[in-house]
């Protein structure tokens, strides 16, 4: 089923490019799906997956066109990562996060962007925005130390976006920021031992007393309010709101996992009996039919919420209007609900398929583990999103989190 929920002024050229990119992702699904078990078992997305995605242009969706990137929009990123997620949750997660981290770089001053891409236009970027490090002011910049986790995509990245606090700026507007550092100056600790999304290798980055020039620091409070440092203000993509986009990009893989679970149910049910009943096949049983309807509808609902948020984000960026607090609260709520609906769709499919869902040879168990893990990322937390959104509906703003 196709759901149409797009920005009205999206051009035919942009839609054609989006369709082409989704088709490229679909073409890669057999390769990615064939390696999904190995990805999970070896706790690492294979280099051939990353290479194939890069060759197809699917890791340059958010890179500025000035450096050869596609500079698309958030709806496109969602659709591409959904398609990849139908084959492998971990690979989809890295597709989303490597692209999103490139978008973060696009918010920095021109010199910082040049540092990353001028000599290496296809440089990839990982990121941990949580301020787990410190940045001490020194002449010309900062001395940065810290430990940052989970750093999804760090094994395949050339640079990292790292969240920091400035102890000497406590109480001022730029006490919290993000900095850019080359991966060659960081070490990776193998700490990602988890039940799901195992292949993302979201390990811990460690840095000790790194020098970061001043132009590679960006204030997070400024970013949250849409005050970006990029001088290229005519580029719509880099006018999108910071927090809603950081949440929304995580939903693409969930949409793909939910779709994959529904596909598995529809494929298997006609060929399997419903144990301890007289039905010749599961597909004939009303209980399975109802489960299929509920799961498919929830997967669609997840898509609708995510695509509405993407349309709001893309339209605001295109119009050069920074969304107000209430609009941003609703976008974050949409992202949280997309994750909840997608997760519930997978749970219903697992229940319908019974205990066999969790057999090691059944791909459904990996889908279940991946979505149970990925959908619980902090910025997707539906309860926090609901609290922020509920308060905003009563005109109460800014009391839960600054990340709105």
């Amino acid at each position: 089923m196709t759901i149409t929920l797009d920005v009205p002024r999206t051009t035919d050229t942009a839609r054609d490019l989006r369709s082409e990119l989704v088709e490229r992702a679909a073409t890669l699904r057999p390769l990615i799906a064939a390696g999904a078990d190995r990805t999970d078992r070896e706790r690492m997305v294979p280099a051939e997956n990353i290479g194939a995605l890069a060759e197809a242009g699917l890791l340059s969706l958010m890179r500025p066109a000035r450096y050869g990137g596609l500079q698309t929009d958030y709806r496109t990123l969602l659709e591409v990562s959904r398609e990849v997620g139908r084959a492998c949750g971990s690979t989809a997660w890295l597709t989303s996060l490597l692209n999103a981290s490139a978008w973060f770089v696009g918010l920095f001053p021109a010199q910082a962007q040049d540092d990353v891409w001028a000599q290496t236009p296809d440089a990839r970027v990982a990121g941990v925005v949580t301020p787990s490090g410190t940045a001490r002011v020194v002449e010309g910049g900062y001395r940065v130390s810290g430990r940052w986790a989970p750093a999804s995509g760090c094994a395949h990245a050339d640079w990292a976006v790292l969240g920091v606090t400035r102890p000497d700026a406590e109480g001022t507007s730029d006490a919290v920021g993000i900095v850019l550092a080359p991966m060659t100056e960081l070490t990776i600790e193998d700490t990602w031992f988890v039940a799901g999304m195992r292949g993302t290798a979201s390990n811990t980055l460690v840095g000790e007393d790194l020098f970061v020039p001043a132009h590679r620091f960006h204030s997070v409070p400024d970013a949250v309010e849409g005050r970006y440092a990029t001088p290229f203000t005519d580029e719509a993509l880099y006018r999108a709101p910071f927090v809603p986009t950081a949440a929304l990009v995580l939903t693409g893989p969930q949409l793909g996992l939910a779709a994959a679970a529904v596909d598995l149910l529809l494929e298997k049910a006609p060929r399997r009996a419903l144990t301890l009943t007289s039905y010749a096949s599961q597909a004939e049983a009303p209980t399975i039919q109802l489960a299929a309807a509920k799961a498919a509808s929830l997967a669609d609902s997840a898509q609708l919420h995510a695509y509405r948020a993407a349309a709001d984000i893309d339209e605001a960026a295109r119009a050069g209007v920074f969304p107000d607090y209430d609009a941003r609260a609703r976008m974050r709520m949409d992202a949280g609900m997309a994750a909840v609906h997608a997760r519930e769709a997978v749970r219903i499919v697992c229940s319908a398929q019974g205990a066999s869902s969790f057999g090691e040879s059944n791909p459904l168990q990996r889908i279940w583990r991946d979505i149970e893990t990925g959908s619980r990322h902090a910025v997707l937390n539906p309860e926090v999103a609901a609290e922020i959104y509920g308060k905003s509906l009563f005109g109460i703003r800014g009391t839960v989190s600054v990340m709105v």
Side-chain angles (χ1 to χ4, degrees):
M1 176 179 291
T2 299
I3 295 176
T4 302
L5 193 64
D6 203 357
V7 175
R9 288 183 291 167
T10 300
T11 64
D12 289 343
T13 301
R15 285 201 176 93
D16 288 346
L17 175 61
R18 180 186 301 158
S19 296
E20 180 186 335
L21 293 168
V22 173
E23 182 58 34
R24 291 184 202 175
T27 302
L28 295 179
R29 275 176 48 202
L31 166 73
I32 295 171
D37 281 340
R38 180 163 68 97
T39 297
D40 181 70
R41 192 172 55 256
E42 298 182 357
R43 299 190 302 120
M44 179 71 72
V45 170
E48 55 261 41
N49 284 13
I50 299 297
L53 289 165
E55 188 175 351
L58 303 181
L59 297 183
S60 61
L61 304 179
M62 299 283 114
R63 191 195 317 152
R66 290 175 281 108
Y67 301 103
L70 293 170
Q71 197 177 310
T72 58
D73 56 26
Y74 277 94
R75 173 64 181 268
T76 301
L77 177 57
L78 276 187
E79 290 203 35
V80 167
S81 55
R82 175 185 182 274
E83 196 64 26
V84 177
R86 294 175 67 187
C88 173
S90 290
T91 304
W93 191 263
L94 294 198
T95 302
S96 282
L97 272 292
L98 290 171
N99 274 300
S101 295
W103 180 78
F104 290 146
V105 178
L107 309 181
F108 277 77
Q111 182 59 57
Q113 297 185 42
D114 271 351
D115 290 352
V116 175
W117 287 312
Q119 300 302 316
T120 312
D122 59 351
R124 294 190 288 266
V125 186
V128 183
V129 175
T130 305
S132 306
T134 57
R136 180 169 53 86
V137 178
V138 297
E139 184 176 356
Y142 306 90
R143 305 300 302 195
V144 171
S145 298
R147 297 171 58 83
W148 295 270
S152 301
C154 64
H156 308 282
D158 304 286
W159 286 77
V161 175
L162 305 170
V164 295
T165 56
R166 289 178 50 190
D168 55 335
E170 186 175 358
T172 64
S173 62
D174 60 350
V176 180
I178 47 178
V179 298
L180 279 168
M183 283 295 298
T184 52
E185 297 181 8
L186 299 161
T187 58
I188 300 174
E189 285 190 6
D190 187 11
T191 56
W192 188 245
F193 297 94
V194 290
M197 291 291 185
R198 290 161 52 87
T200 63
S202 302
N203 288 306
T204 300
L205 292 176
V206 181
E208 185 63 38
D209 202 30
L210 315 175
F211 175 71
V212 174
H215 63 267
R216 287 199 224 134
F217 176 95
H218 197 304
S219 161
V220 165
D222 280 355
V224 169
E225 295 296 328
R227 295 186 295 273
Y228 301 139
T230 176
F232 305 104
T233 54
D234 60 326
E235 295 175 340
L237 179 62
Y238 308 101
R239 298 194 296 248
F242 189 79
V243 176
T245 55
L248 186 67
V249 297
L250 303 178
T251 65
Q254 327 290 336
L255 303 181
L257 289 165
V262 172
D263 287 346
L264 280 172
L265 177 61
L266 299 181
E267 174 194 337
K268 289 186 174 182
R271 296 187 281 110
R272 294 182 60 187
L274 189 60
T275 306
L276 301 180
T277 74
S278 58
Y279 289 109
S281 78
Q282 293 181 350
E284 297 175 4
T287 182
I288 300 298
Q289 294 164 358
L290 290 171
K294 290 176 182 175
S297 182
L298 282 165
D300 286 348
S301 296
Q303 237 176 294
L304 287 165
H305 276 284
Y307 286 2
R308 180 174 74 166
D312 288 347
I313 287 170
D314 289 335
E315 174 60 16
R318 188 169 303 156
V321 175
F322 191 73
D324 63 20
Y325 183 94
D326 295 339
R328 301 197 314 269
R330 193 185 75 170
M331 293 171 191
R332 183 165 171 179
M333 185 76 199
D334 273 349
M337 290 311 298
V340 168
H341 287 327
R343 186 170 69 213
E344 181 64 6
V346 173
R347 189 194 68 78
I348 287 174
V349 172
C350 288
S351 294
Q353 290 287 279
S356 67
S357 301
F358 304 97
E360 287 192 358
S361 62
N362 191 334
L364 195 52
Q365 54 81 25
R366 174 170 35 76
I367 292 170
W368 173 71
R369 286 188 288 108
D370 282 351
I371 203 162
E372 288 289 339
T373 303
S375 66
R376 287 180 168 81
H377 191 287
V379 78
L380 283 178
N381 187 314
E383 282 74 26
V384 172
E387 190 176 348
I388 292 169
Y389 185 47
K391 286 180 186 295
S392 81
L393 292 174
F394 287 104
I396 304 168
R397 301 177 180 88
T399 62
V400 180
S401 169
V402 297
M403 297 298 283
V404 178

